[in-house]
Amino acid sequence: MLWASQGITARHGRLYLRTSPSAGGLYPIETYLVVNRVDGLDPGLYHLNIRDFTLEPLAQGDFSATLEQACLGQKFMADSAVSFCWSAVLRRNMAKYGHRGMRYIFMDAAHICQNLLLAVENLDLASCPVAAFFDDELNSMFALSGEEESIVYTAAVGVSK
């Protein structure tokens, strides 16, 4: 699922191309995970290091209730095996495109989520994208400023019923 959504497919000079497109090859989207029940991973918060393609542990523990509350009480977020949370490093796009860069940021996040949904379907799992959340609460979970970097989209993944 991580590779399908953000995997590196090629290198062109200093640019690492990925499985999803990005306006101007700027890749402003970062991937964070809230892990609840994933074989081989302790429950907690993680960040995807793209260059090394590794998960960096940020905090260990059960964050399911915090995630549910931050996502307007949507219980399936707490029940998910893993939730993907995508942030935007705003300056990566805004420096080149100005205010138009916001449009490209949201398109990039949508491309990444679509790739995740395709991978989830292939694994016979279930997923639900979520844009209904309290920005400050989700940003706090991952120690993001909300100004330089902010969560823009999420998706819960779990076993289909």
Side-chain angles (χ1 to χ4, degrees):
M1 290 184 289
L2 285 169
W3 188 87
S5 60
Q6 286 273 62
I8 295 173
T9 59
R11 186 172 176 186
H12 183 70
R14 294 184 341 181
L15 184 64
Y16 290 84
L17 303 177
R18 300 186 196 172
T19 54
S20 61
S22 179
L26 299 174
Y27 300 102
I29 305 299
E30 294 288 326
T31 298
Y32 294 89
L33 300 178
V34 180
V35 172
N36 292 323
R37 291 176 316 284
V38 175
D39 289 342
L41 284 176
D42 292 329
L45 306 178
Y46 294 84
H47 173 257
L48 176 61
N49 177 320
I50 294 290
R51 294 271 164 107
D52 299 332
F53 212 72
T54 58
L55 285 176
E56 302 168 334
L58 301 175
Q60 299 302 306
D62 181 357
F63 291 88
S64 59
T66 306
L67 179 64
E68 177 184 343
Q69 182 178 342
C71 292
L72 307 178
Q74 297 178 81
K75 182 148 177 45
F76 68 90
M77 293 299 287
D79 294 340
S80 68
V82 61
S83 289
F84 286 67
C85 298
W86 295 289
S87 72
V89 180
L90 303 170
R91 195 174 305 268
R92 285 187 198 159
N93 268 39
M94 306 303 271
K96 180 174 183 178
Y97 295 116
H99 291 290
R100 181 177 286 282
M102 288 302 290
R103 177 182 308 168
Y104 303 139
I105 285 170
F106 294 129
M107 288 171 51
D108 283 10
H111 296 314
I112 291 166
C113 185
Q114 181 64 39
N115 280 6
L116 172 70
L117 296 175
L118 291 168
V120 165
E121 179 69 22
N122 187 55
L123 295 169
D124 201 29
L125 298 172
S127 184
C128 183
V130 173
F133 53 81
F134 294 114
D135 298 31
D136 292 342
E137 283 81 349
L138 271 187
N139 287 334
S140 272
M141 278 182 67
F142 298 103
L144 305 179
S145 71
E147 292 180 18
E148 293 295 319
E149 183 177 3
S150 184
I151 300 292
V152 295
Y153 208 18
T154 66
V157 177
V159 177
S160 59
K161 294 184 180 182

